[in-house]
Amino acid sequence: MNVTWLMRMAKWARRPPSMLHVKIAAVAVLAVIVIVVVDKLGYWPDWAKLNPRGLRNWKP
């Protein structure tokens, strides 16, 4: 493990994030999970999907 990551973990142990930051992160993770589940179930609209074939030969 890098020394930078150890220092960052020590900083977080001394001063953990506020409950507001934890709630914001939890809502963001929950939103991503909901979007992935809706897409896997087939309810995500076609206009919101990315067409990877169309971007392969894209030139500005």
Side-chain angles (χ1 to χ4, degrees), residues 2-12 14:
N2 195 347
V3 176
T4 306
W5 285 104
L6 289 172
M7 297 300 290
R8 184 175 290 191
M9 286 189 292
K11 179 181 170 186
W12 272 47
R14 286 188 214 112

Side-chain angles (χ1 to χ4, degrees), residues 5-53:
W5 285 104
L6 289 172
M7 297 300 290
R8 184 175 290 191
M9 286 189 292
K11 179 181 170 186
W12 272 47
R14 286 188 214 112
R15 190 168 174 236
S18 67
M19 187 54 77
L20 178 64
H21 288 155
V22 172
K23 287 179 183 178
I24 290 171
V27 168
V29 168
L30 184 65
V32 169
I33 291 172
V34 167
I35 289 172
V36 168
V37 168
V38 168
D39 186 32
K40 292 293 182 184
L41 290 175
Y43 293 118
W44 195 254
D46 287 335
W47 60 265
K49 292 183 180 181
L50 183 63
N51 185 3
R53 280 193 203 166

